[in-house]
Each structure stands twice: as C-alpha cells, then as structure tokens.
Amino acid sequence: MSSSDVQVQGSNDWSIASKLSTVTAGYYKDSFISCFAQKPVKRSSLIHRGYYVRAKAMHYIFEKFLSQYAKSQIISFGAGFDTSFFVLRQQGYTQCQYVEIDFPDVVAKKWQLIKNHPYCAELAAEENAYHLVAADLRNLPSLTKLLFEKLSLNPLLPSLLISECAITYMDETSSSKLIEWCAGTFSNVVFAVYEQIRPSDGFGRVMQQHFIQLSIPLLSLPIYPNQECQRNRYLQRGWSSCETYDINEFVHQLVSSDELNRMRQLETFDEYEGFNEKCSHYVILTAAKGICTTPLPPKNQEIKDNLFATTNLISWQLKESSIQRYGQAGCPSLVDGSMWIVGGFGARPQGHGRLDDLIRVYRDGTIESQLKNKRLARMYHSLHLIEPISRLVIYGGRTHPAMALGDVGFIDIKNNETEWLEGQPENGWPEPRWRHASSIIPPCGIFVGGGCGRQNNLLTDCWVMQVLPVSKGETPFVKWEPFVSLPSGRHSATASFWQNLIVISGGLDKSEMASRPQLLVSNTGSGSSSQQEWIEPDWHGPSPIARYSHQALVTADSRLILVGGISTCHTSSPGVCVIDLLKWTCVEYNLPIQDIKQPVMLASFNAQLDEGEKDGTKILCWGGGSPCFSFGTHLNKVFVELKI
C-alpha cells in the first residue's frame, strides 16, 4: 500500500469525527454515527455547516433515486466509515442491496466496529443486504470479478454508484477508466459524485495546498477544474446525461428555506466567507444512463456570468507584508497617503486571535505601530477620520458573534490617546452591530447602515452619526440622526459618499445570498428626510456581479471601483468592477490565476486608491483572508498592488 493510500485512510478518521460533531450539534439525524467515531470532538460551526451541506446533498440523491427504484443496488466507492446503509435501512429502504468498497485496513476496522454494536451487526447480517469488501478501484478486472461473480450483482438492475471525495484522490487516468467502466458495465445506472472544483483562485490554492501537505493531492482537479469540465468528463465516457451544481447552488435551489432557517438557528455564526467559499469549491454531480435519470434536476439558469466582457488587469503585483489579519477596519490618511488600520483577527505571538492595536501603513509597505488598547480587539467594525478634530472614530464591531458592540471610540491621532462613548437604543442610539456599511459624510458625519445585530439578526436601519466639535482636550459629542431604512436587511456591504449621495454596494441578505439589487442609492437629504429614498440605478448594460465582503472606492472622475469580495452566484472569485456613476455602466476585470505559494483572498480586507499614476488607477489592498473550512485559517502574507 502506498503512503498516499494510508493518508487517504487518515482523512476518513477526521471526517467521521467531524460528522459526529455535526450530528451532535443537531444539524442532521444519524443514530449510527457514534458507533464509528472513535472519540467525540467538538468542531467549529463552520465545519458543522460544511458537513451539513455535504450530508444534505447525499441525502437528496438517495431520496430521489430510491423513490424511483426501491429494488436496486448501491455501490459506494471509498466508503470509509460512512453510515448511509444503516440510516437507509432504519428508514425502511429494505429492497436495496448495498455494497461498500475501501482499502483492506479500513474494511477490517469497520467490520470490527459493526460487530461491537449489536443493532449494526443485526442490520449488516440480513441476507443480500450489505457487503463491505476490500478492492483496488484501479484494478478493473479484479473489481468486475468481485462484484459480479463473488457478490452476484445484477448489471441490469437500477444501480446507484457513489464517490464522496473518493475517486478525486486517484490518478486521472485510473479515475477516468473507472468512470468509463461503470458506464459500460451497468445498463441502468446513476453515478453520484461529491468532490472539489475551482483550484485556481485564492481559496482553491489553499485547498489544494492542504491536500498536498497531507500527501494526498487532488490529482484530477487541475484537469477538471469547473462544472463544465466535470460534466463533459462523464458525457464523453459513456454517460447519457449529467447535471452539476456547486454547493451554493444546491443549497439555494434544492434545500427548502424552512430547513435552512432551522439550520441557521442552531449556532451563532459569523464565518460567511469561509462557508460560501467552501460551497463554491465543491460540486455535486449526477450522471445517468439507461432507464435511470439524474436525481439532480436541470438547473434554472440565470443570466449572471456570460454577459460580461471581462478583461484582465493591467498589472497585479504581490509584495511581502507583515499585516496578516482580516475583519479589521481601515481608513486613509488625507495627508500622506498612509492607511490607518485597527483591530481584526490575525497572527499574534501566542497564535491567532483578535488584535488590539492601531497601526499606520505606508504605500511602500512600511508599518508603524501607534498604540494598543484592549477595547480595540474587535472585528467587522468601522473606522473613519474626522479631519477637523484630528480624531479616528471607531464604531461597532464584535468580539464574539453573540457580542455585538455599539460603542463609539475616538483616537486622538496627534497624542495617540483613546476615549469611548457608550449609548443604548432607548437613548437614541442605534442597536449595536457589526458587518455594517459605513461612509464618511464630510465634514463631520458618518453614515452607518444595516449589518448584524445583537441577536445575530439582519438589520435594515440606517443612521448618520454627527460628530460635534468640542473644546480642545474634551471628548467629542455624538448625535445620531435616523436615515431612511434599507428596503431589506444586508450585511457586509459597502457604503460610499458621492455628490451628496450614499451608494450602497453588495452585501449578504437574509437568505445568505449576495444581495440584489447590487447597488442602492439615496440622497443624504441635507437635513430633509423627505429627500431620502433608496433607489436602484437604471443600468445601461449588465449590473455588477453580486458580491459581499469587498471594498468600494470612489475616484475623482466619478467612478466607483468594487474590489474583490465573495460571490454566491458566480463561477469565479469577483475581481475588480469599475462603475461609471454618471452613465451607470460597468466593466468587470478578472483576477489572475493565483500562485499556490502565495494565495490571495480578497475578503475582509482594506483597500485604498492612488490616483497619481499616469498609466492607470492603482489600488493597494492590505490584509484579508478567511477561515477556510477544514483547511486552516488563511491570512494574506502579501499586500496587493493592482492597476486597471
């Protein structure tokens, strides 16, 4: 047995422990999972969600197939300690013959665990119900003999073949031969596959590197990197039909809203970027032939990607940076082009955690540490510079997803001193929030809108914080003025001030889809609330790709530049969108293919403009990253300098 085969077996142990933690937390029911997990562990809510959507996808396939073909046979390639046979038997599917195939060591361990639990042993002992066998999927003559001579399977009977993150570890030649063999051997058959896609963006590179470090590289992934390639792979190897969904599409099109709402109530959660990226980098595929049809229905195709005449950035340069954090807040200095950055989650001497510092970063990457204060240790807050009083103003954020903050902090940038104000909604202050949109309204106003509230609820209310000048040495006074509410709640959007207008871009809505309309615009009202009304621009051409966790920058020539972010409905990571605010047209620019040694995730980061360039507009991107499912937390170790 090769070392990579041993590592694949090790991934099974991690997976079954994660499934047990997910079931224990209430995400789905499986009364057998504890029989196969050696030791209970508590995983994060992000991992729970990841295994929940995987289970929902496979449950969907089983239900659709078995509702049509009760008398059938199921073959699971690389089954590991999967419990699907026992769950289906308990649910009353008794006419289905179930075969599991894995490495000899896995089979021996699983048989021992089955024997240790009487109910499992009783179900497994039923005649012609269950077979757990060892086989090498690369040896097709041996596999044929095993299935049809030793186990007496019927190649004419409706059959469901399953590969849950299994054949993706095989070399491409062997896995393609297996796919072709299955189509040629079974007359009436469905092949259901759950595996990785999209290897070339930041998250995809982190994902690939994770499996490379485990010595189990995803060998087919670079050759079949997207849904179309995956679909063609099966259609070109003997399958009559094939449907694919990435897991974002599966969740939002094939799982009921009631079920998703139930799931969202189970745990506090604030790792949306990592979850949506995980879902967009996994695909559920069903191919079929004979009398069988694919359990996955044809997709409702939206006009979302192919209307864009995307082009490449003029340049993209990565430069080493010690700013390794995400979820921080930043704002530019108006004097020297430097950037103030405060808080966030990132690298500390004692490990990852919330950062409690204010730093100043210059365009050459030089960093000055300004001050440390425990109250700065927060995430997804806002930061703005009120120039007339030389104060940085911090608002909101969170420590834990159950601990929204509603205080206002002032940092005297001349003396590096901090002052704080507290206020409650009953005293005319907004509800505490994080992931809100905010923008300076010169000279002393700050727009605040939407975000996540103290009950993890999505907010629609908007406000203007007027920072009133005071005598030298005194704490500034804050007055909150209501602004017209958003038509629906959204968080992780951006707000920009342009020509007495507030422009809201993107965000994530209550269904956890990137918000549409992508842009909303309102007059600031100039004191008259009757002039405040959110409207959707009348686009001349396609509107921007929906995104969240991005940055928005307004240029002197009335362009709004959206940088990076996460999309729940696009086939690649959002790049840079340049919007003409006078004509309401936009151009989308692609991000380049990422370097696996220096992957960049433009999410939860900061960006600033440098409009002094003669040959284009330069944008500097600082920090950024995300928890990446079970692949670890990624922090960008570079700052990005790009031109359009």
Side-chain angles (χ1 to χ4, degrees):
M1 183 182 295
S2 69
S3 61
S4 62
D5 290 346
V6 174
Q7 293 295 334
V8 171
Q9 294 178 39
S11 71
N12 167 69
D13 298 335
W14 199 95
S15 178
I16 199 69
S18 299
K19 290 179 180 179
L20 174 59
S21 182
T22 305
V23 168
T24 302
Y27 282 80
Y28 65 95
K29 294 180 180 179
D30 186 335
S31 55
F32 298 95
I33 196 78
S34 60
C35 302
F36 297 94
Q38 300 296 300
K39 184 180 179 182
V41 294
K42 177 68 168 69
R43 302 291 194 214
S44 69
S45 56
L46 173 59
I47 290 176
H48 288 162
R49 281 197 175 200
Y51 275 90
Y52 163 81
V53 295
R54 173 175 172 173
K56 289 300 291 185
M58 297 313 299
H59 291 170
Y60 181 94
I61 301 302
F62 282 127
E63 183 180 328
K64 293 293 183 182
F65 177 81
L66 292 172
S67 65
Q68 284 187 285
Y69 315 108
K71 184 172 176 55
S72 57
Q73 49 202 17
I74 297 177
I75 304 173
S76 179
F77 298 129
F81 289 175
D82 182 58
T83 60
S84 295
F85 163 75
F86 302 98
V87 172
L88 292 173
R89 210 72 178 173
Q90 188 181 53
Q91 292 173 348
Y93 295 107
T94 59
Q95 300 183 63
C96 174
Q97 191 174 11
Y98 207 106
V99 179
E100 293 185 339
I101 300 174
D102 216 308
F103 294 109
D105 285 355
V106 174
V107 168
K109 290 177 184 177
K110 189 169 186 178
W111 267 128
Q112 189 58 53
L113 292 169
I114 290 171
K115 293 174 183 177
N116 291 342
H117 295 86
Y119 188 34
C120 290
E122 179 185 339
L123 292 175
E126 293 179 15
E127 186 177 0
N128 289 327
Y130 180 66
H131 303 283
L132 173 57
V133 293
D136 187 341
L137 299 176
R138 293 162 292 199
N139 188 337
L140 296 179
S142 176
L143 184 62
T144 303
K145 187 174 181 179
L146 170 68
L147 295 179
F148 301 109
E149 293 183 21
K150 186 175 181 179
L151 302 183
S152 301
L153 293 190
N154 182 353
L156 302 178
L157 196 65
S159 303
L160 173 63
L161 314 179
I162 301 167
S163 169
E164 264 190 273
C165 295
I167 67 171
T168 186
Y169 298 119
M170 297 169 63
D171 65 273
E172 189 275 332
T173 299
S174 296
S175 58
S176 291
K177 285 182 178 179
L178 177 64
I179 292 167
E180 192 168 356
W181 175 87
C182 291
T185 302
F186 294 90
S187 299
N188 306 294
V189 61
V190 169
F191 204 149
V193 176
Y194 178 91
E195 63 184 44
Q196 301 87 347
I197 56 171
R198 289 179 57 183
S200 299
D201 60 11
F203 186 97
R205 292 308 197 199
V206 172
M207 178 175 70
Q208 273 190 301
Q209 188 64 25
H210 169 79
F211 289 104
I212 290 171
Q213 290 172 346
L214 293 178
S215 300
I216 47 174
L218 305 173
L219 298 175
S220 296
L221 180 58
I223 304 171
Y224 306 103
N226 55 46
Q227 293 188 57
E228 189 61 26
C229 290
Q230 287 271 0
R231 186 170 179 270
N232 289 336
R233 183 186 195 188
Y234 287 80
L235 294 178
Q236 292 168 4
R237 285 172 174 79
W239 297 87
S240 302
S241 60
C242 184
E243 296 293 341
T244 64
Y245 286 68
D246 75 33
I247 301 303
N248 275 326
E249 293 171 324
F250 172 81
V251 166
H252 292 289
Q253 294 185 36
L254 299 179
V255 181
S256 73
S257 57
D258 287 346
E259 167 58 17
L260 292 176
N261 288 335
R262 180 201 69 82
M263 179 272 291
R264 291 170 185 144
Q265 300 303 313
L266 293 173
E267 296 181 279
T268 55
F269 186 77
D270 191 31
E271 294 175 318
Y272 300 99
E273 291 85 357
F275 178 60
N276 285 135
E277 284 286 78
K278 186 270 181 188
C279 289
S280 70
H281 285 78
Y282 278 78
V283 66
I284 182 73
L285 172 152
T286 56
K289 59 163 291 193
I291 65 169
C292 294
T293 57
T294 67
L296 292 171
K299 276 192 291 193
N300 296 322
Q301 291 292 338
E302 296 179 12
I303 301 173
K304 56 191 178 185
D305 298 338
N306 47 8
L307 286 183
F308 289 102
T310 56
T311 186
N312 293 325
L313 297 167
I314 293 175
S315 71
W316 162 280
Q317 296 184 21
L318 306 181
K319 301 184 179 181
E320 209 169 304
S321 172
S322 59
I323 303 177
Q324 296 178 30
R325 65 180 77 192
Y326 67 85
Q328 72 275 11
C331 70
S333 166
L334 302 181
V335 179
D336 56 9
S338 62
M339 187 92 174
W340 301 97
I341 293 176
V342 64
F345 181 94
R348 304 182 300 186
Q350 66 274 34
H352 292 167
R354 285 180 285 110
L355 304 176
D356 61 357
D357 58 350
L358 168 71
I359 61 174
R360 192 173 188 176
V361 57
Y362 294 89
R363 292 183 174 178
D364 62 359
T366 305
I367 296 172
E368 290 181 0
S369 181
Q370 300 293 305
L371 64 90
K372 293 176 73 68
N373 183 300
K374 289 183 178 180
R375 292 189 70 162
L376 301 180
R378 60 184 66 199
M379 300 174 65
Y380 303 120
H381 44 297
S382 54
L383 180 72
H384 297 286
L385 176 63
I386 301 294
E387 190 70 22
I389 58 172
S390 300
R391 297 289 206 285
L392 291 169
V393 182
I394 302 165
Y395 171 67
R398 67 152 177 92
T399 51
H400 181 271
M403 185 59 68
L405 303 173
D407 52 355
V408 174
F410 298 97
I411 301 178
D412 185 331
I413 58 176
K414 293 182 177 179
N415 301 314
N416 280 346
E417 296 176 347
T418 59
E419 308 156 292
W420 297 89
L421 293 179
E422 306 278 358
Q424 298 299 323
E426 53 266 29
N427 298 326
W429 280 50
E431 178 181 342
R433 67 194 64 211
W434 77 94
R435 288 183 177 268
H436 49 281
S438 67
S439 174
I440 195 82
I441 300 178
C444 296
I446 297 174
F447 169 86
V448 172
C452 296
R454 62 176 72 181
Q455 302 299 325
N456 229 24
N457 54 317
L458 215 52
L459 303 175
T460 61
D461 59 317
C462 300
W463 302 75
V464 174
M465 179 202 310
Q466 296 291 354
V467 181
L468 306 180
V470 293
S471 301
K472 185 176 181 181
E474 294 183 4
T475 302
F477 179 72
V478 163
K479 179 183 178 183
W480 288 97
E481 298 175 352
F483 197 90
V484 63
S485 293
L486 295 167
S488 59
R490 60 176 73 189
H491 69 75
S492 307
T494 62
S496 306
F497 179 77
W498 170 72
Q499 293 190 1
N500 208 38
L501 301 175
I502 292 291
V503 182
I504 297 285
S505 166
L508 211 62
D509 65 20
K510 67 178 181 180
S511 68
E512 297 187 10
M513 285 288 285
S515 295
R516 295 185 183 277
Q518 171 66 6
L519 262 73
L520 291 168
V521 180
S522 175
N523 197 296
T524 58
S526 301
S528 173
S529 60
S530 63
Q531 296 183 33
Q532 297 171 358
E533 179 185 9
W534 294 110
I535 60 172
E536 182 181 358
D538 184 14
W539 293 97
H540 299 142
S543 59
I545 296 168
R547 69 191 78 197
Y548 73 98
S549 197
H550 56 293
Q551 288 284 292
L553 306 165
V554 178
T555 67
D557 59 354
S558 295
R559 292 179 297 160
L560 177 66
I561 302 179
L562 309 182
V563 186
I566 306 293
S567 179
T568 58
C569 54
H570 193 64
T571 55
S572 60
S573 296
V576 178
C577 181
V578 179
I579 300 168
D580 187 324
L581 293 171
L582 299 174
K583 298 178 181 178
W584 292 114
T585 58
C586 70
V587 178
E588 293 277 0
Y589 293 86
N590 297 319
L591 295 180
I593 293 175
Q594 298 287 305
D595 182 349
I596 198 167
K597 295 179 181 178
Q598 289 186 316
V600 174
M601 293 182 63
L602 290 183
S604 302
F605 65 108
N606 295 119
Q608 66 182 123
L609 276 172
D610 182 356
E611 296 189 85
E613 294 291 311
K614 295 180 180 179
D615 56 346
T617 299
K618 182 190 291 185
I619 301 169
L620 301 178
C621 302
W622 307 101
S626 172
C628 297
F629 184 50
S630 59
F631 313 136
T633 295
H634 173 72
L635 303 171
N636 292 336
K637 296 179 174 60
V638 295
F639 72 89
V640 181
E641 187 179 279
L642 55 87
K643 290 182 183 178
I644 52 174

